[in-house]
Every structure is written in C-alpha cells, then in structure tokens.
Amino acid sequence: PPSQGADVISISFWRSDLAISGVMSDCLDAITRDGRNGKGVLVVIAAGNGATDINRKTAWAAYEKTIVVAGSTESDERDPLSNFGKGIDLCAPTGLVTCCNIDSNTNNHFLAGHTGGSHDYDPSFGGTSAAAPLVAGVAALVLSMDPTLTWEELRDVLRKTAVKINLANGDWKLDSDGKPEYSIYHGYGRIDAASAVRAVRRFSLFDPDRPRWFADWW
C-alpha cells in the first residue's frame, strides 16, 4: 500500500480466535511508519458483528496501530451486534436506511448503483463493515484539508471531534472534569464529518506551526 500511494486503508473483515501474527504486526507497523512519506497511513478496521470483546476475538482490530470502528444505530445508541471492548476508537452508523438489516454478508445486488450501471448496489449492506469505510471516508476528507497530518494526528482529530452518544447506557468513563471521555461501546464517540473537517480547515493548510496549534486546539 505505501508504494501505491494509499493514504487511508479500510479493512472490513475479521477472524475469530485468530491471534495477530508477527508478519501482520510488522506490516501494520511498516504502513504506519513508512506510508505517506513517513507520515503514516491510517488503517481503519471494522470491530466485527459478534457482540464480543475485540480483545478476545478480533486481534487485528485490537492492535495499537489501527483505528477500530464499532457500530451505532440511527438513533445514536449501541448497535447490539457490534463488537466492543477496550481499544475501540470510534463508532459509526451500521445502517443508513431504516429498512436495512445488519447483515454485512449479503449479496443481494439488485439495484443499479448509477444510471446505466450494472446491478452493483445493495440497500441492505450494514454492520461494522459499513461503519468502518464511513470513518475511512471522513478521514480522507480531513486529509484533503491538511495532507501534512500524521496518521496519529489524523486519529486524534477524528477522536476529539466525535460526538458523545448514548450517555445513559454507553458505560462512559469520566475524565477529571466529570465529562464523558471513553466508552467500550462507542470509543471516543460517533464520527462527525463536519466537525472533523472544520477543526482542521480553520487553520491555514501546511502551517509550519501546525504541531503547536494542533496541541493547543484541544
């Protein structure tokens, strides 16, 4: 991926009870270290749809060099089928249309995705396999505003502009000010594209003082 110029990678598959191999951890380390000319590629991984702790079932997602996306509902509640656990970074909607189901393994491609196109569109695609690429797309939007961001800075933008949802039932841990900070179900919150883009856009692109304002902004 680095040699092909990837800025963001989205992975929407997982294997249960399969530990991360040395080869795969080395790969993720190299991508985040060497990708984008040393700024690092953001690797977004779906948490999975087994209602299970990612630290026991989805080792790739739990790895520290990835950003893990759990599922939320249209009403900003926990998706009951989404995996959870310490290490979840963000959540995103798993079904953007009310009629849609949670099954991410469907092949009901019976609608044309564009005028004159083939039947390549599935209105029932969902699950964290849909939530993860949504976050990856937002990450790409943020990078379009400032491509000098490192992968860790990009992750921080997404985390710190996320919306805290499901406050009553999200098992939120509070910070020193008594405000919701982290949830094993929602991570740092539900992705917010507009807030993430605005947070970066308000500063001039390629600002040589970016490390300073980036720290001060939060």
Side-chain angles (χ1 to χ4, degrees):
S3 65
Q4 296 178 13
D7 296 323
V8 180
I9 296 174
S10 180
I11 300 175
S12 287
F13 67 88
W14 63 287
R15 291 283 302 277
S16 62
D17 299 322
L18 185 64
I20 189 168
S21 68
V23 171
M24 196 61 227
S25 60
D26 287 347
C27 177
L28 292 171
D29 289 348
I31 288 171
T32 52
R33 182 187 63 241
D34 303 329
R36 296 175 56 238
N37 297 317
K39 292 184 287 294
V41 173
L42 186 74
V43 182
V44 181
I45 296 188
N49 308 316
T52 304
D53 191 322
I54 61 169
N55 294 283
R56 295 197 300 267
K57 289 291 187 179
T58 51
W60 286 28
Y63 193 62
E64 61 183 3
K65 297 299 179 66
T66 64
I67 182 168
V68 194
V69 182
S72 59
T73 68
E74 297 169 68
S75 56
D76 273 345
E77 297 176 346
R78 175 192 172 194
D79 188 316
L81 293 183
S82 173
N83 286 348
F84 57 89
K86 184 178 180 180
I88 295 291
D89 290 283
L90 297 161
C91 64
T94 54
L96 300 181
V97 182
T98 305
C99 67
C100 299
N101 62 39
I102 193 66
D103 184 6
S104 61
N105 298 312
T106 179
N107 292 303
N108 300 322
H109 300 145
F110 55 83
L111 295 175
H114 55 89
T115 302
S118 60
H119 289 182
D120 59 0
Y121 179 79
D122 183 359
S124 60
F125 178 72
T128 59
S129 287
L134 193 157
V135 169
V138 174
L141 284 175
V142 173
L143 280 181
S144 74
M145 302 309 302
D146 188 350
T148 70
L149 294 172
T150 68
W151 81 271
E152 291 170 302
E153 290 173 331
L154 176 57
R155 179 185 62 185
D156 285 346
V157 170
L158 299 179
R159 283 177 173 179
K160 294 179 178 179
T161 57
V163 179
K164 302 295 191 285
I165 64 171
N166 194 22
L167 296 180
N169 301 304
D171 192 22
W172 286 91
K173 306 303 180 185
L174 306 181
D175 61 18
S176 58
D177 296 327
K179 297 179 180 179
E181 182 178 27
Y182 185 81
S183 162
I184 61 171
Y185 301 117
H186 307 300
Y188 292 90
R190 191 250 301 141
I191 191 74
D192 186 332
S195 294
V197 170
R198 280 198 299 263
V200 175
R201 185 183 181 187
R202 64 176 296 168
F203 300 98
S204 61
L205 295 182
F206 315 113
D207 185 344
D209 293 328
R210 176 176 50 77
R212 176 185 57 77
W213 66 249
F214 193 87
D216 291 347
W217 166 240
W218 310 120

